[in-house]
Amino acid sequence: MVKKILLGFLVLLLAIQFIRQPKNFDPAAGPDDLIVRTAPDPEVRLLLETACYDCHSNRTRYPWYAEVQPIGWWLARHVKAAKEHVNFSTIGQLTPKRAARKLEACANEIIDGEMPLASYKLAHPAARLTPTQQKLLSDWFGFERARIQPE
C-alpha cells in the first residue's frame, strides 16, 4: 500500500512538471521603467537590480529551481503579487502623485527592513542589504519621490 502511494505521488510530481506558468521576462527595459526614467548612479542601479527588480519589474531572473513545480508556481504567484504593489517596469505610467506614493512606500519598507523579503534574501545573498545600502537606496527613493511630486 505504501509503495502504491509513493508511486502515485511520484507520478503526480512528474506530471505537474509539464504545467508551467508564463515567465515574467521582457528582454529590454521600456521608457516607463524606473531605471530608464531616472538614470540612477551605478551603485543604486545595482542595488535596484539585485534587491528589487526580480519581483518588482517585468524582468525577473529565474533561478534553476524555478523550473521545478510546484516551486515555479509559488514564484510566479510571488512575482505577480509583488508587481501588484509596485512594478518598476511600468511606474512611468502612473500619475506623479501615485508614483510618488509608491516610491515613498519603497523607501519606508527598505529602511524598516521589510524589503527585500527574508525568503528572497535567503536564496539571493546579494540582496542582503547592509545598513549603508539600505540608507542609500531609501534616500534615493525619497529623492526621486520628491523630484516627481514636490511637496
Side-chain angles (χ1 to χ4, degrees), residues 107-123:
N108 292 336
E109 290 192 15
I110 288 170
I111 210 68
D112 291 343
E114 295 176 22
M115 283 288 155
L117 294 176
S119 59
Y120 183 78
K121 292 185 286 190
L122 195 64

Side-chain angles (χ1 to χ4, degrees), residues 34-135:
L34 181 66
I35 289 175
V36 172
R37 292 178 76 83
T38 62
D41 67 59
E43 186 176 8
V44 170
R45 180 186 179 122
L46 181 63
L47 292 175
L48 287 167
E49 289 173 342
T50 57
C52 307
Y53 263 59
D54 275 347
C55 297
H56 293 284
S57 79
N58 294 339
R59 296 188 348 223
T60 300
R61 292 169 298 149
Y62 289 94
W64 66 268
Y65 51 83
E67 299 302 322
V68 179
Q69 308 311 322
I71 297 170
W73 302 340
W74 177 79
L75 288 172
R77 281 194 312 272
H78 182 79
V79 169
K80 182 180 177 192
K83 286 170 49 179
E84 287 173 359
H85 290 286
V86 63
N87 183 347
F88 294 133
S89 293
T90 59
I91 201 159
Q93 297 172 8
L94 301 176
T95 65
K97 184 176 181 178
R98 187 160 166 84
R101 282 198 318 258
K102 297 281 186 184
L103 295 178
E104 183 175 10
C106 291
N108 292 336
E109 290 192 15
I110 288 170
I111 210 68
D112 291 343
E114 295 176 22
M115 283 288 155
L117 294 176
S119 59
Y120 183 78
K121 292 185 286 190
L122 195 64
H124 300 86
R128 297 177 192 150
L129 303 176
T130 66
T132 302
Q133 290 171 323
Q134 284 177 314
K135 181 164 178 15

